[in-house]
Amino acid sequence: MKYILNSREMKQCDENTMRRRGMLSAVLMERAALATMQEIVKRYPDPATKVLVVCGSGNNGGDGVAVARLLYLKGYNVTIYFAGNREKATEETKRQMFIAEQYGVEISDEYPKDIVDVIVDALFGIGLSREVTGKYAEILQKMTEQDGYKVAVDIASGISADTGAVMGTAFAADLTVTFGFIKAGQLLYPGAEYTGELKVADIGIDEQSLYEIKPELKVLETSDLKRLPRRVNRSNKGSYGKLLILAGSKQMAGAAVFAAKAAYRMGCGLVRVATVEENRIILQEQVPEAVLAVYNNGTDVVKFVETQLHWADAVVAGPGISQSDLSERMLYELLKRIQVPCLCDADALNLLSKHPDWWKLVQSPLVITPHLGEMARLTGRPITEIRDRLVQIAQEFAMEHQITVVLKDARTITAQPDGQSYINVSGNHGMATAGAGDVLSGVVGALLAQKLDIYLAAALGVFIHGLAGDAAAERVGHCAMMASDIVDGLMDVLRKQEDTKRQ
Ligand SMILES: NC(=O)C1=CN([C@@H]2O[C@H](COP(=O)(O)OP(=O)(O)OC[C@H]3O[C@@H](n4cnc5c(N)ncnc54)[C@H](O)[C@@H]3O)[C@@H](O)[C@H]2O)[C@@H](O)CC1
Ligand SMILES: [K+]
């Protein structure tokens, strides 16, 4: 697990490193510049390389001036364009400009006309505080349109470090060298697209510099797979949890099939599918490993729900259940009685958005897995707003309802009720296909049934689901990928993890 910082947290971390750990600002800046220079030299080892460094008045500009000096001392053909206001420059930046001039580097106040090989963007860093307009917008435009390899210092100028939003105009980098921690805006879209390749340089700011800061965002890594439920030799199917899946309707058997298959692939000991009578044959054919509990309009819903809940260690409710009267009754009676962890997806969420009072019914830990459209219905906010404020909206909803919210998008956010969230970086656009969400329900459901901590079950489930999609992409490519390939991808991911553990 790694922390991802927003600008406020990062500034506090810089402060802590200087004030509380005694590190000097100039040393941090020198290390930041050194790391950036080294990344450039790695890619462009020939000192005949022409480099333009565009600097602003803030400390990001100071980093840029220092990068230029270090390249100059290696014999590179460097020009600094100082786009900021010299008088208003920070003390550190003024000092860097003085040093650069003493070393013989020229600083120009005009945008140079020459063609260059590398353009270094040190206009704004994490101190960007408003929309970029006028002269600065023109400069960013020019830098982006100009030919040459594009390197951003700390963060692409114009990208919000907090949300990844383009603040008017932004620099589109091929490479970003960031310092200490990844910033949220480098993982969230559209910022991720402007970041290019991302290198995190160690400049002496690390987790110890956090002190009492509890970052709001975290990201899981492959090393976190070791947190999966342990399997032991002396065990039986009862040891790995019993998952009840309320899924499928007359026209939609597939949702139940994918969720059940994914749950079994994720190691669940026993899966029982509660579905409509009409799905009996297809489920028995497609997932013979699953136990079936079928219902119809004549079923005593209360008795049915009580029997199933008595058996289950965890429940997945919603994939493909439709919004029929029968599904509505089934969900209502289930939410009223449930005492084990529960995941609600798809039509269960659509029903919940019709009955906001139902939240109060649920006494057990709840995970919801809405996509943007479902989240729009749940919150009554437009999809565009949800997309722009992905983390905040997921967090607000999780805190308000004291539940875990998995808000599905290209970067899925798993928000915990305590205000912390995971941002997921696995997966690919091939997974934008029917049934992928049902697979996710099954994966997370299986982890809940295996008694993994609820937040971890949700975040790790999302991460593994993405990895399974990446494995599927290797096998079948992006365009041809179907939900069943993601289920198969789970085999690759878990098998690889078992091999790693054995080594
Ligand atoms: N000790 C430190 O604090 C360190 C800071 N470092 C660098 O310092 C950067 C942060 O520096 P600063 O906080 O000085 O901020 P920035 O250099 O990111 O820029 C802030 C300056 O730009 C102005 N500004 C903000 N948005 C604007 C807009 N839309 N249009 C026009 N002007 C705008 C602000 O008024 C301010 O003068 C980091 O990104 C990093 O590159 C690194 O050197 C590492 C150590
Ligand atoms: K920058």
Side-chain angles (χ1 to χ4, degrees):
M1 190 272 290
K2 261 196 318 228
Y3 288 119
I4 306 301
L5 269 52
N6 59 33
S7 57
R8 177 181 45 80
E9 293 163 344
M10 190 65 218
K11 276 181 203 158
Q12 187 66 50
C13 215
D14 287 345
E15 277 295 306
N16 289 347
T17 312
M18 293 183 286
R19 303 254 176 284
R20 294 162 79 166
R21 303 182 84 180
M23 179 51 76
L24 299 177
S25 171
V27 175
L28 291 177
M29 205 171 253
E30 196 71 14
R31 287 186 70 178
L34 199 61
T36 310
M37 177 273 279
Q38 282 165 345
E39 294 297 337
I40 294 170
V41 169
K42 241 190 259 171
R43 290 163 182 78
Y44 288 84
D46 183 357
T49 304
K50 278 190 173 177
V51 185
L52 167 65
V53 186
V54 179
C55 302
S57 336
N59 283 351
N60 193 248
D63 290 347
V65 176
V67 171
R69 164 176 40 90
L70 293 171
L71 284 169
Y72 175 83
L73 290 174
K74 280 196 165 290
Y76 281 64
N77 186 339
V78 189
T79 311
I80 299 176
Y81 166 45
F82 190 76
N85 182 331
R86 283 186 190 239
E87 265 89 69
K88 286 193 185 158
T90 61
E91 286 311 308
E92 283 89 344
T93 302
K94 279 184 185 154
R95 189 190 309 137
Q96 287 301 339
M97 289 168 79
F98 176 78
I99 299 171
E101 280 169 339
Q102 299 314 303
Y103 276 84
V105 192
E106 266 181 48
I107 301 178
S108 160
D109 290 313
E110 300 263 310
Y111 197 105
K113 294 200 170 56
D114 318 357
I115 294 167
V116 294
D117 304 303
V118 179
I119 302 160
V120 180
D121 154 43
L123 197 54
F124 306 117
I126 58 165
L128 182 78
S129 54
R130 52 190 185 274
E131 292 263 308
V132 184
T133 54
K135 170 187 158 188
Y136 293 119
E138 277 171 34
I139 294 168
L140 285 180
Q141 199 92 34
K142 211 188 259 185
M143 289 162 70
T144 298
E145 281 165 12
Q146 193 172 340
D147 284 340
Y149 184 73
K150 303 192 173 68
V151 182
V153 176
D154 204 18
I155 187 163
S157 296
I159 293 297
S160 157
D162 301 339
T163 64
V166 175
M167 306 286 282
T169 312
F171 180 71
D174 296 306
L175 166 73
T176 296
V177 184
T178 200
F179 310 128
F181 293 89
I182 298 175
K183 317 300 179 294
Q186 291 164 341
L187 298 185
L188 292 163
Y189 286 99
E193 283 169 326
Y194 286 77
T195 300
E197 185 187 348
L198 181 61
K199 289 274 169 194
V200 186
D202 170 18
I203 63 163
I205 301 174
D206 56 19
E207 285 197 12
Q208 269 196 52
S209 299
L210 288 168
Y211 288 90
E212 63 285 341
I213 306 169
K214 220 174 157 209
E216 283 170 7
L217 268 184
K218 317 176 256 193
V219 71
L220 290 175
E221 307 166 280
T222 18
S223 57
D224 289 299
L225 293 178
K226 63 176 183 290
R227 296 159 83 183
L228 278 170
R230 259 166 49 85
R231 297 188 76 90
V232 288
N233 287 335
R234 197 168 176 194
S235 60
N236 57 55
K237 62 180 185 251
S239 317
Y240 301 108
K242 291 177 281 189
L243 177 67
L244 174 71
I245 300 179
L246 173 66
S249 52
K250 210 168 155 188
Q251 314 291 347
M252 259 222 258
V257 172
F258 291 132
K261 278 192 176 175
Y264 269 127
R265 285 281 183 228
M266 199 59 235
C268 191
L270 275 164
V271 177
R272 184 184 287 189
V273 179
T275 190
V276 292
E277 180 94 57
E278 290 86 343
N279 288 341
R280 185 194 294 276
I281 294 174
I282 183 150
L283 267 148
Q284 277 174 337
E285 275 177 8
Q286 294 288 319
V287 206
E289 298 89 344
V291 179
L292 276 189
V294 295
Y295 59 85
N296 56 35
N297 275 318
T299 301
D300 178 339
V301 171
V302 172
K303 209 166 142 207
F304 180 85
V305 166
E306 278 176 348
T307 311
Q308 308 314 325
L309 285 180
H310 184 70
W311 172 86
D313 292 321
V315 174
V316 165
I321 57 171
S322 82
Q323 296 178 55
S324 67
D325 291 346
L326 183 57
S327 299
E328 200 165 323
R329 263 169 49 219
M330 198 60 81
L331 185 69
Y332 176 76
E333 299 301 343
L334 186 131
L335 293 180
K336 220 161 66 170
R337 287 172 178 76
I338 193 158
Q339 286 179 345
V340 291
C342 178
L343 180 150
C344 284
D345 183 34
D347 283 324
L349 300 177
N350 293 329
L351 287 167
L352 271 163
S353 48
K354 278 200 218 162
H355 303 282
D357 50 318
W358 283 10
W359 293 112
K360 295 192 201 91
L361 299 175
V362 191
Q363 298 302 317
S364 61
L366 187 63
V367 179
I368 62 167
T369 52
H371 55 54
L372 297 182
E374 286 155 355
M375 196 63 178
R377 285 191 279 280
L378 283 169
T379 56
R381 293 169 194 259
I383 288 183
T384 45
E385 188 193 336
I386 294 171
R387 184 174 286 140
D388 292 348
R389 299 181 56 234
L390 210 60
V391 178
Q392 291 87 333
I393 290 201
Q395 261 180 11
E396 278 164 24
F397 205 81
M399 285 159 85
E400 185 188 336
H401 295 280
Q402 287 298 299
I403 57 170
T404 303
V405 176
V406 174
L407 181 51
K408 298 183 288 196
D409 197 21
R411 292 278 192 244
T412 294
I413 304 299
T414 302
Q416 306 171 179
D418 65 358
Q420 284 205 310
S421 297
Y422 288 93
I423 174 167
N424 186 59
V425 292
S426 63
N428 58 77
H429 56 85
M431 301 173 76
T433 182
D438 307 327
V439 176
L440 176 67
S441 298
V443 169
V444 176
L447 294 176
L448 291 174
Q450 291 172 78
K451 310 231 164 33
L452 205 63
D453 164 83
I454 186 135
Y455 312 136
L456 187 62
L460 200 57
V462 168
F463 182 56
I464 291 173
H465 178 250
L467 292 178
D470 291 338
E474 263 182 44
R475 214 186 288 190
V476 301
H478 295 101
C479 184
M481 194 188 302
M482 297 200 297
S484 48
D485 300 313
I486 306 173
V487 177
D488 289 348
L490 288 169
M491 288 190 272
D492 301 320
V493 176
L494 297 172
R495 176 72 203 277
K496 202 163 147 197
Q497 175 59 14
E498 283 170 13
D499 290 348
T500 314
K501 251 195 324 203
R502 237 177 267 125
Q503 281 160 15

